[in-house]
Amino acid sequence: MEHFTTKRHFFRFYFLLVLMVLLMGGFGVFVIMDFYGKWGTPDFEVWNYLLLFLGSFMLMFGVFFLIIYFRNAPIIRLHQDRISFGKESYDLKEVAALEMTGKFPFGWGISLPEEGACLTFKDGQKKYIFDIMYANGPELKMLLERKIHNTSAPKPVSIRNFNRIRKADMELFKGNPLVNFRASFLWFIIGFFLWYLLVVPPNHNDVFIALALIGVVWFFVLSFSMYYFGLSNDYFIVQNHFFFWTKHAYNFRDIKEIIFESGGKGPYRMRLITEDYQTKIYAASTLKTKTWLNLKKALEQMEVQVRNEAFPEG
């Protein structure tokens, strides 16, 4: 008797949820307390009522955020031929369509799309499984595919570290990590640090230490957007300009889909989904749109499915 229960992801669900609620709730309480601190005093002005409105709005938004977040991540249980989303239970025989990958509305009131899976039932109801919410989401997807599509379970895919692959054997898709908008901020910090070190008298240790810490933190933040890519005859390779020892290699047959995504205000990024539905995200701020398009063409020639959600191709 097969029974499976999802587990919410500790960081992407619980940690971010608590962080956002504390930020919004704490800001709301702070503003409301500031309002009541001024109310009834000579310093009180009519426009201070805006503080009460703003604080109340932030508290209500925090509650709304909490409800929406839990609504989009119910505990999912798969038992024999039934699946339940929280208290709602459905017969798997009633599933009319199963989409294992794709962007689906997250339900924030503005239909913000998020990567996941979708079950469409014969009565028209849709149920979503969002990748970001569950630590064991890939296992659930494989079970659903086996039960509904009657397929065999794929072998677990492992990321290989092939340091023996030479760059001469690869077609590289990369940009210049030194001439980059985000990198320029790091060079500015380093330049300011050196100026303080060489020109300003060495009695400003607090500024000196602060600049060093900011530079180190920004270096690590920047490094996570400094990936670039390569193709060999059999493998898709991911490397990093700053973490040069990183070399992830995926056999083409182990890749289910690659998605080019826009990170909002952040750089374009690649979401790589393997045949066992494991997901890795690589941000690449040095790649120009033309390079992304060339990469898409090269991947499709290797019969890799590519979904472009980042920029127009015309």
Side-chain angles (χ1 to χ4, degrees):
M1 182 178 292
E2 192 169 36
H3 181 78
F4 181 87
T5 303
T6 55
K7 298 177 182 178
R8 294 181 176 123
H9 199 282
F10 174 78
F11 179 80
R12 295 196 300 263
F13 182 84
Y14 289 109
F15 179 78
L16 292 182
L17 177 66
V18 170
L19 180 64
M20 290 299 296
V21 170
L22 286 177
L23 285 175
M24 289 182 289
F27 181 77
V29 170
F30 174 79
V31 172
I32 291 175
M33 290 179 63
D34 187 40
F35 167 79
Y36 281 108
K38 295 178 180 178
W39 193 41
T41 67
D43 296 330
F44 185 82
E45 299 179 10
V46 175
W47 69 267
N48 289 139
Y49 282 107
L50 290 174
L51 296 175
L52 180 62
F53 172 79
L54 179 61
S56 301
F57 174 79
M58 292 301 296
L59 288 177
M60 288 188 294
F61 188 79
V63 173
F64 172 77
F65 180 89
L66 191 66
I67 294 173
I68 291 297
Y69 220 63
F70 273 98
R71 192 187 72 178
N72 281 285
I75 297 298
I76 303 172
R77 293 181 174 86
L78 189 63
H79 184 70
Q80 290 290 76
D81 295 325
R82 296 191 67 81
I83 185 171
S84 62
F85 295 81
K87 297 180 180 180
E88 301 176 3
S89 181
Y90 302 87
D91 195 321
L92 289 178
K93 295 179 181 179
E94 296 299 312
V95 177
L98 174 62
E99 301 172 73
M100 303 305 293
T101 62
K103 291 291 191 300
F104 303 102
F106 197 62
W108 291 73
I110 55 175
S111 297
L112 181 69
E114 184 60 54
E115 188 71 26
C118 175
L119 287 81
T120 304
F121 294 90
K122 294 178 180 179
D123 61 0
Q125 284 195 75
K126 293 180 181 290
K127 288 294 181 181
Y128 304 114
I129 304 169
F130 294 108
D131 293 350
I132 194 174
M133 294 298 189
Y134 301 104
N136 56 351
E139 292 89 334
L140 174 61
K141 286 186 175 184
M142 287 191 290
L143 284 173
L144 285 172
E145 191 169 48
R146 193 170 72 216
K147 284 179 172 292
I148 296 174
H149 290 165
N150 196 26
T151 58
S152 58
K155 295 181 179 179
V157 175
S158 59
I159 301 175
R160 306 177 186 185
N161 192 336
F162 277 150
N163 287 315
R164 67 175 180 268
I165 298 178
R166 299 182 306 167
K167 290 187 177 181
D169 299 329
M170 292 188 292
E171 180 183 4
L172 294 177
F173 299 84
K174 60 189 297 188
N176 191 332
L178 303 179
V179 184
N180 180 272
F181 174 76
R182 291 173 179 82
S184 63
F185 186 61
L186 177 63
W187 313 139
F188 173 78
I189 295 174
I190 293 175
F192 201 52
F193 177 84
L194 293 175
W195 180 80
Y196 246 92
L197 178 64
L198 299 174
V199 179
V200 179
N203 57 349
H204 296 279
N205 291 331
D206 51 346
V207 178
F208 184 81
I209 294 173
L211 284 172
L213 290 175
I214 293 172
V216 170
V217 170
W218 184 248
F219 172 80
F220 280 99
V221 170
L222 184 65
S223 297
F224 288 106
S225 68
M226 284 289 166
Y227 288 100
Y228 64 97
F229 313 104
L231 274 69
S232 70
N233 291 332
D234 299 310
Y235 293 96
F236 176 68
I237 298 96
V238 180
Q239 296 180 266
N240 191 293
H241 285 289
F242 291 172
F243 298 154
F244 55 88
W245 56 88
T246 300
K247 186 180 288 188
H248 295 168
Y250 300 85
N251 195 302
F252 288 122
R253 65 172 178 268
D254 291 334
I255 300 174
K256 189 172 194 66
E257 189 175 9
I258 284 178
I259 305 101
F260 296 167
E261 298 179 337
S262 174
K265 298 291 185 180
Y268 292 139
R269 62 189 187 186
M270 172 186 291
R271 181 187 296 265
L272 191 151
I273 302 175
T274 58
E275 284 291 336
D276 60 351
Y277 296 107
Q278 300 292 332
T279 298
K280 291 289 290 184
I281 296 177
Y282 301 103
S285 62
T286 67
L287 269 65
K288 297 181 180 179
T289 302
K290 183 179 179 180
T291 308
W292 282 105
L293 293 174
N294 290 337
L295 174 60
K296 180 176 184 291
K297 183 178 179 180
L299 286 168
E300 289 174 340
Q301 289 175 349
M302 295 294 183
E303 299 183 351
V304 176
Q305 182 177 345
V306 181
R307 183 174 9 128
N308 177 19
E309 300 174 346
F311 39 78
E313 298 186 34

